[in-house]
Amino acid sequence: MKITAILLAAGQGTRMKSALPKVLHPVAGKPMIAHALQAIQKSTTEKPVVVIGHGADEVKKYLGDSAQTVLQEPQLGTGHAVMQAESLLKGKTDLVVVCYADMPLLRGETLQKLVETQKNNTGPISMLAVISNDPRGFGRIIRNEKNTIQAIVEEYVASEEQKKIKELNVGGYCFDANWLWDALKRIPKNEKKGEYYLTDAIELASKENLPVLATIMDDEQETIGVNTRVHLAEVETAMRKRINEEHMLNGVTFIDPASTYIEADVKIGKDTILMPNTYLYGKTEMGEGNIIGPNTIIRDTKIGNGCKVLVSVLEGAVLENDVDMGPFARLRKGAHLGNHVHMGNFGEVKDSRLADGVKMGHFSYIGNAQIGSNTNIGAGTITCNYDGEKKHATEIGEDVFIGSDTMLVAPLKIGAGSRTGAGAVVTKKTSQMIRWLLVCLLVQLRN
Ligand code: UD1
Ligand code: MG
C-alpha cells in the first residue's frame, strides 16, 4: 500500500514577526519542518509533498531533494493547500497523510496510529483528536447522538454550546486518496474568509454516511502548533525535556536536566555523566563513560569513551578515548586528540593531530601541526603557523620534550626524541640545528 504525506507549510506566519519563514525557525537545533519530516517518515512509504507559499524559495532550498514541493499561490486555506498536491499524487498513492510543518512535537508513532486507524476504516477519513480543557483556538469535533463524527466547527463560528466541546481537531488527517481528490472539488468556499477549509471534507463524508474515525492522542503537548515566538519557546522547552529524558532512559546521567541543552541529532553513550550547563550541539556524538561539563559547549564533535571535558569549548573536533581536557581548553575545527591525551588550562588546538599520550598542560596554541605520541608540550608553547600571508605546518616527532615558552616557527620539523630549551625560538629543522651546533663546536675546538 502506498502512503504519501502532504505537509502544509505555505502559511505566512505573520505573528512570528520574522524575516525567516516560520517553518525554518529551529527547535532543538533544526528547523521545525525537519522535525515534521522526520515524524512523517515512520508512517509513509513515498517521498512527501510539501506545500510551500510564503518564503517558498528559502523553504525549497532547505528541503533540497528530501521532499517534492508544490507552490500554493495565493493561499486560500487548508483545503486549497491540499488541492495543490493533486497533480503530483493522483493515481500514485492509496492513502494521503496531511499534517502541518509547524507542529514539531507531533510524534511519528502518533501518525503511525493514525494510519493504522485509517487502514481499518471503511470510510475515507481518520483524524487526530485531543480531549483538552484548553481549546487553543482549535476546531471543535461535532458528534451526533450515536457518537459519529459529523463535522468540525472552527472556534470563531462556534456557538457557546459548541465552544464547550473538549474534543478538538489537532490538524492531522489520513485520507483515502481517491475519495479525497474528488471531495476537495466539492468543498464550498467559506464566504466569510474566502478560503477552502480541509475540515469541510469531514462534513462531506458524514453526509454521505461514510464513517470518519478519530485517533485520540494522549500527549497534549504533541498538538502545540507554533504561531508566535511564545509558542516557539514553549515547544523548545518541551522538546528539550523530551530529548533529555530519552537520553536518561538510555543510561545517560544528567546532574541538572534543566540546564543541559542537547540538540536533536546528538548521540550519547551510556554511563556518560552530563554536568550542569552543558550544551551539546549539531552532529556531536560520544561513547560511554564520559564526564562532560560543567559549563561546556560542544558542537559537531566526536568523542570516544572515558573522556573528561571540564569547562571547555569544542567545535569540529575528534577525541579518542580517555582524553582529559580543561578547564578552559578550546578545540577548533580539525583538532584530533588521540588516546590518553592531556590538555590543561588555556590551550587551543586547531587543524592538528595530537597522537596518543601527548601532554599539553598549560597556555599553548597548536595549529596546523602533527605531534607524535608521548610528546610533552611545555607551558606557553606556540606554533607560529601564520606568516601574515599563509599558514604553515609543524611536525613534531614522538617522545619530544618542548620546553616552556618555545616558539615553533613553521614550516618546521622536529625529530623524534628532540628537546628544546625554555624560551627557545625554533626556526629550522632540529636535525639541521644539530649539524650547525656540531660545526660551531669544531670551530671552537680548532681555535
Ligand atoms: C486548522 C483547522 C482547525 C484545527 C487547527 C489545528 C482548518 C480550516 N482548521 O486551523 O480545525 O483545529 O488547524 O491547528 O483547517 N496553510 C497552508 N495554506 C493555507 C492555509 C494554511 O499551507 O492556505 C498551512 C499553514 O501554514 C499551517 C497549517 O496549514 O501550517 C494550518 O493553517 P492555519 O491557518 O494555522 O489553520 P488554523 O486556523 O489553525
Ligand atoms: Mg494554526
Side-chain angles (χ1 to χ4, degrees):
M1 180 179 267
K2 287 187 173 169
I3 310 168
T4 313
I6 301 175
L7 200 55
L8 307 192
Q12 184 161 19
T14 326
R15 286 184 286 158
M16 291 295 283
K17 302 199 173 147
S18 176
L20 187 69
K22 176 166 84 174
V23 298
L24 295 185
H25 278 263
V27 170
K30 60 183 186 188
M32 50 179 125
I33 194 168
H35 292 280
L37 285 169
Q38 202 177 337
I40 273 170
Q41 253 180 13
K42 294 193 174 157
S43 58
T44 56
T45 59
E46 314 298 303
K47 204 179 235 196
V49 175
V50 179
V51 181
I52 53 178
H54 282 279
D57 292 341
E58 265 178 276
V59 177
K60 195 171 172 170
K61 192 171 159 213
Y62 171 76
L63 291 171
D65 61 4
S66 66
Q68 312 183 68
T69 55
V70 53
L71 189 66
Q72 185 197 18
E73 188 66 71
Q75 288 88 36
L76 298 178
T78 46
H80 180 254
V82 175
M83 281 177 217
Q84 310 309 306
E86 182 183 345
S87 57
L88 282 178
L89 295 184
K90 196 170 184 177
K92 296 198 177 126
T93 188
D94 303 298
L95 295 180
V96 169
V97 175
V98 176
C99 55
Y100 306 156
D102 58 7
M103 286 173 59
L105 293 172
L106 185 63
R107 291 178 197 266
E109 291 79 4
T110 304
L111 288 170
Q112 271 173 325
K113 276 191 207 158
L114 173 69
V115 169
E116 282 313 307
T117 306
Q118 181 52 27
K119 280 183 180 167
N120 295 314
N121 187 2
T122 53
I125 311 177
S126 297
M127 58 187 289
L128 290 178
V130 68
I131 314 282
S132 172
N133 291 321
D134 175 12
R136 295 186 84 100
F138 285 4
R140 309 299 201 270
I141 297 177
I142 311 294
R143 292 179 184 262
N144 65 10
E145 59 290 345
K146 286 184 192 146
N147 210 29
T148 309
I149 296 177
Q150 289 193 298
I152 309 296
V153 174
E154 293 304 308
E155 185 174 78
Y156 78 101
V157 287
S159 66
E160 284 314 308
E161 265 322 291
Q162 288 170 330
K163 277 187 189 156
K164 288 183 195 150
I165 295 172
K166 291 188 180 350
E167 191 179 6
L168 311 171
N169 174 29
V170 171
Y173 315 85
C174 185
F175 294 97
D176 174 86
N178 289 332
W179 183 87
L180 176 67
W181 307 128
D182 181 61
L184 287 171
K185 296 188 180 77
R186 288 180 281 132
I187 285 180
K189 189 179 199 170
N190 181 296
E191 289 309 331
K192 243 186 188 158
K193 299 260 169 153
E195 290 188 357
Y196 298 88
Y197 286 178
L198 184 59
T199 43
D200 285 347
I202 281 113
E203 201 172 335
L204 285 179
S206 158
K207 282 186 175 152
E208 292 167 14
N209 286 320
L210 300 171
V212 175
L213 301 182
T215 302
I216 311 283
M217 294 163 62
D218 17 71
D219 180 2
E220 207 177 319
Q221 256 181 350
E222 284 187 57
T223 69
I224 302 175
V226 176
N227 295 311
T228 67
R229 304 219 194 201
V230 176
H231 301 147
L232 186 65
E234 196 179 347
V235 161
E236 179 77 35
T237 305
M239 184 66 89
R240 176 151 56 97
K241 189 161 180 279
R242 186 189 283 183
I243 291 171
N244 288 359
E245 284 175 2
E246 215 165 281
H247 288 296
M248 289 178 221
L249 294 173
N250 286 334
V252 179
T253 296
F254 285 62
I255 302 302
D256 180 25
S259 72
T260 308
Y261 298 78
I262 301 177
E263 287 186 350
D265 294 333
V266 171
K267 296 190 174 74
I268 311 171
K270 69 173 156 53
D271 289 327
T272 283
I273 300 174
L274 303 179
M275 306 295 276
N277 219 21
T278 288
Y279 301 74
L280 304 179
Y281 291 143
K283 305 234 170 299
T284 295
E285 272 177 37
M286 65 182 76
E288 300 180 1
N290 299 293
I291 302 176
I292 310 293
N295 300 344
T296 291
I297 303 173
I298 303 180
R299 185 183 291 281
D300 298 332
T301 291
K302 282 201 165 57
I303 298 179
N305 304 317
C307 295
K308 286 187 189 137
V309 181
L310 172 66
V311 196
S312 292
V313 177
L314 284 61
E315 186 164 1
V318 175
L319 273 62
E320 293 183 23
N321 302 316
D322 304 303
V323 172
D324 163 25
M325 61 182 291
F328 313 113
R330 180 170 182 211
L331 296 184
R332 289 164 57 203
K333 187 180 70 60
H336 185 129
L337 310 191
N339 297 307
H340 294 283
V341 165
H342 165 70
M343 186 174 164
N345 43 271
F346 305 109
E348 175 179 335
V349 175
K350 181 218 77 169
D351 269 326
S352 297
R353 191 179 181 108
L354 278 55
D356 294 356
V358 167
K359 298 215 167 3
M360 174 180 160
H362 345 255
F363 309 104
S364 290
Y365 170 62
I366 299 295
N368 304 84
Q370 301 287 319
I371 300 182
S373 53
N374 300 318
T375 282
N376 185 82
I377 307 286
T381 296
I382 308 284
T383 51
C384 310
N385 60 334
Y386 186 51
D387 61 11
E389 285 173 17
K390 279 194 199 134
K391 296 275 165 65
H392 299 282
T394 299
E395 220 181 291
I396 302 177
E398 296 177 9
D399 298 309
V400 172
F401 180 90
I402 304 287
S404 294
D405 205 17
T406 298
M407 300 296 118
L408 300 163
V409 182
L412 186 67
K413 274 191 187 170
I414 295 188
S418 306
R419 297 173 73 88
T420 72
V425 178
V426 187
T427 58
K428 292 196 173 69
K429 268 192 185 177
T430 47
S431 52
Q432 282 177 331
M433 276 175 63
I434 289 163
R435 215 178 300 144
W436 185 74
L437 284 173
L438 281 173
V439 171
C440 288
L441 200 68
L442 282 173
V443 172
Q444 288 282 326
L445 284 175
R446 241 197 252 163
N447 292 341

